[in-house]
Amino acid sequence: MDRRSMIAALAGTAALGACRAVGQTPPRDVRADLYDCEGCEGALERTVTAASARIAPPGEPGEPLILAGTVIGLDGKPAPGVVIYAYHTNAEGLYANGTPETEWSRRHGRLRGWVKTGADGRYRFETIKPAPYPDRTLPAHVHLTVLEPGRRAYWIDDIVFEGEMLVDAKYRAEREDRGGNGIVRLGREQGRLIAVRDILLERHPA
């Protein structure tokens, strides 16, 4: 399978994920702590126009990973114009080599990126699979912040990987399903891991 075919296949996988997301139930009430979100300011640090972005540069240590999905609005339709800010640890489990540009560019490390959904609601990141923290207190994860047009930014459940360390019954029971279920099953295409994480937008205060 060549690169173009792989991307097309991934887009199809993301579209199927969107169909699953449409059938999910959006949150009924506004979360009282919706905007209680340390670090969500990071979503505002770039002017974004593209629905696809690279987080980890070529040659970054770690296993190549594509994160993709569809953002679904409260009306059950793909949501355009939504910025997604993602960041994660490196292959050693560290938020390393950040820059002094802002507090969040320093604290979130070098591996971070931004996308903005188009009319089809889709997004895509090219990166590496993060490692768990060195103290092994949390599973490997990718942080996601959502910024809808005209709204304040908020965080949703991290992406974590089915069947991995600490992704167990206790972990599942503690999830709030912010933005839908963040536990994903990894696939593989042409030597890259693929994770599809559809996002259900949250209700906002009137």
Side-chain angles (χ1 to χ4, degrees), residues 88-123:
H88 60 78
T89 61
N90 62 17
E92 297 179 346
L94 302 173
Y95 300 106
N97 305 119
T99 69
E101 174 187 358
T102 67
E103 179 180 4
W104 309 113
S105 65
R106 175 179 59 82
R107 289 176 56 180
H108 293 171
R110 178 171 51 87
L111 299 179
R112 60 190 197 132
W114 298 255
V115 293
K116 186 176 185 179
T117 61
D120 60 4
R122 293 181 185 170
Y123 74 93

Side-chain angles (χ1 to χ4, degrees), residues 138-180:
L138 286 175
H141 58 281
V142 179
H143 295 287
L144 297 177
T145 299
V146 171
L147 179 62
E148 301 174 42
R151 300 289 193 176
R152 293 171 60 183
Y154 58 93
W155 59 268
I156 62 175
D157 278 11
D158 299 336
I159 293 174
V160 298
F161 307 108
E162 178 78 45
E164 296 209 340
M165 183 200 75
L166 297 179
V167 184
D168 53 19
K170 181 176 182 294
Y171 183 90
R172 290 176 181 279
E174 292 174 348
R175 296 305 87 196
E176 297 183 59
D177 284 346
R178 288 174 174 261

